[in-house]
Amino acid sequence: MHDAVWINANLATMRDGYGVIQDGALAVTAGKISWIGARTAWKEQAREEHDARGAWITPGLVDCHTHLVYAGNRAHEFEMRLKGATYEEIARAGGGIVSTVRATRAASEEHLFHSAKKRIGQWLREGATTVEIKSGYGLDRDTELRMLRVARRLGDTITVKTTFLGAHALPEEYRGRADEYIDFVCNEVLPEAAKDGLVDAVDAFCERIAFDVAQTTKVFSKAKALGLPVKLHADQLSDLGGAALAACHGALSADHLEYSTENSVKAMQRAGTVAVLLPGAFYFLRDTQLPPIEALRRHGVPLAIATDHNPGSSPLTSPLLAMNLACTLFRLTPEEALTGMTRHAARALGLRATHGTLERGMQADFALWDIAAPAELAYAIGANPCLATVRAGESVRATL
């Protein structure tokens, strides 16, 4: 006896391509998928039966790169860029990440929680069941820990994987003392966060306006000593060899990658590091340097897609629009886009064994869609055909 079954559904399992099962059934027991296949083969019983009425069911969307917890916004910087200032110029003038740091430090934990909780509703409404949330807008001990606590609290409605991003930018009080700041991050903040169980992975921003290879390596070494996996903001504005560095450390993912070389791509393939493409930042910053999509395909590097939601370079709140942008800007196919927001995104978070596909034994996270074919999810601009979002077998948003 299964807990519940959804029948009269078309299933995109995402196991291999779309992995379509027409007129299928999906059963759930104890929060996991306990049966999946053609409806004609369903001979078992369930306590509850849901008629999907021909809707498509996909795995719940997985957004594997966000900065969802912060205070304030940077609409004024948006105006500055449109008047000619570059992202680097704004950052060097005291704007950018540092301006959000000031606002976030001043915010209470409750303010951060309620503002992030309000934002996250958009992800649930668009069929997302898992998000990664980074710290990195505190850049001091107390605020970084506060951000991570808030991220953990958000896990009551959506699965949250937390990432410590203390090495996001150099705070004003450490100006000219980047090495000292990295020592502070490694010796005081990260161990405290790890001790409290607030961290699932460790990230850094390896870039000209952030931290160099040696400083990033020090952060990674500390993460490894604490038993934490790593990932990296790599090669967004220049080629510092960030993707290759991430691969060298066996990173779960290397993200951005606009300036990554083919040798770095080869290193990622050998290490099993996922490429996380962030078309929202590419679009919002009006970048022209495309990530090496063909090289990533040629070498079989898994392509994940994420919103990179943040107040400065990607105020994107729509996983569906991120998929469309990946297709229109980076020329991914709709199948690659949906795979990138499900199976490969789960892999980028170390969740491949439990999330990202519809298979027996996987967590019962899925979404129901009013579409005629899965390609429509990446096709329409501004549309939201999501009918229901189900997490661990329980509806968190439903209109069916």
Side-chain angles (χ1 to χ4, degrees), residues 305-372:
I305 297 166
T307 62
D308 187 18
H309 174 77
N310 72 80
S313 63
S314 184
L316 174 59
T317 61
S318 169
L320 293 175
L321 183 53
M323 291 166 57
N324 175 272
L325 292 175
C327 294
T328 56
L329 298 177
F330 297 163
R331 294 296 186 263
L332 267 63
T333 67
E335 183 180 287
E336 286 177 318
L338 186 53
T339 304
M341 193 63 84
T342 53
R343 187 172 84 237
H344 291 333
R347 180 174 174 177
L349 295 179
L351 293 175
R352 176 65 187 92
T354 54
H355 294 69
T357 59
L358 301 179
E359 301 179 64
R360 187 175 296 183
M362 301 289 273
Q363 180 157 311
D365 288 3
F366 51 89
L368 286 79
W369 309 93
D370 182 16
I371 55 176

Side-chain angles (χ1 to χ4, degrees), residues 33-177:
I33 297 172
S34 51
W35 195 95
I36 186 169
R39 180 167 57 152
T40 55
W42 169 253
K43 308 297 182 185
E44 303 186 35
Q45 293 183 324
R47 293 181 181 86
E48 295 181 10
E49 183 174 290
H50 303 273
D51 185 355
R53 302 200 293 269
W56 279 85
I57 296 180
T58 71
L61 302 185
V62 178
D63 194 345
C64 62
H65 183 132
T66 85
H67 305 254
L68 266 162
V69 176
Y70 59 86
N73 71 57
R74 280 150 52 190
H76 64 290
E77 293 179 14
F78 178 58
E79 285 192 300
M80 290 174 65
R81 279 198 300 276
L82 291 176
K83 292 177 180 178
T86 67
Y87 182 66
E88 289 191 63
E89 288 169 345
I90 292 169
R92 293 187 187 283
I97 293 169
V98 174
S99 65
T100 300
V101 169
R102 288 193 289 268
T104 304
R105 286 180 176 181
S108 69
E109 183 166 326
E110 289 307 305
H111 175 83
L112 291 174
F113 174 73
H114 288 296
S115 60
K117 182 84 166 180
K118 184 177 179 180
R119 284 182 205 113
I120 221 162
Q122 178 70 17
W123 275 255
L124 291 170
R125 287 188 289 272
E126 292 198 4
T129 53
T130 302
V131 296
E132 181 253 22
I133 300 178
K134 303 178 190 293
S135 68
Y137 289 132
L139 309 185
D140 61 11
R141 178 186 174 278
D142 291 346
T143 314
E144 287 291 302
L145 296 177
R146 186 157 69 244
M147 292 181 70
L148 292 166
R149 285 196 301 270
V150 167
R152 281 283 191 245
R153 289 174 62 188
L154 292 167
D156 60 343
T157 56
I158 194 167
T159 297
V160 173
K161 296 292 282 185
T162 59
T163 298
F164 175 76
L165 183 56
H168 194 195
L170 189 64
E172 293 175 319
E173 63 268 27
Y174 277 91
R175 183 172 295 180
R177 298 184 293 133

Side-chain angles (χ1 to χ4, degrees), residues 275-299:
V276 178
L277 305 177
L278 305 174
F282 183 91
Y283 165 81
F284 195 72
L285 298 177
R286 303 173 68 189
D287 284 342
T288 57
Q289 177 72 31
L290 289 164
I293 302 297
E294 287 306 317
L296 291 163
R297 284 175 174 148
R298 188 165 56 251
H299 295 288

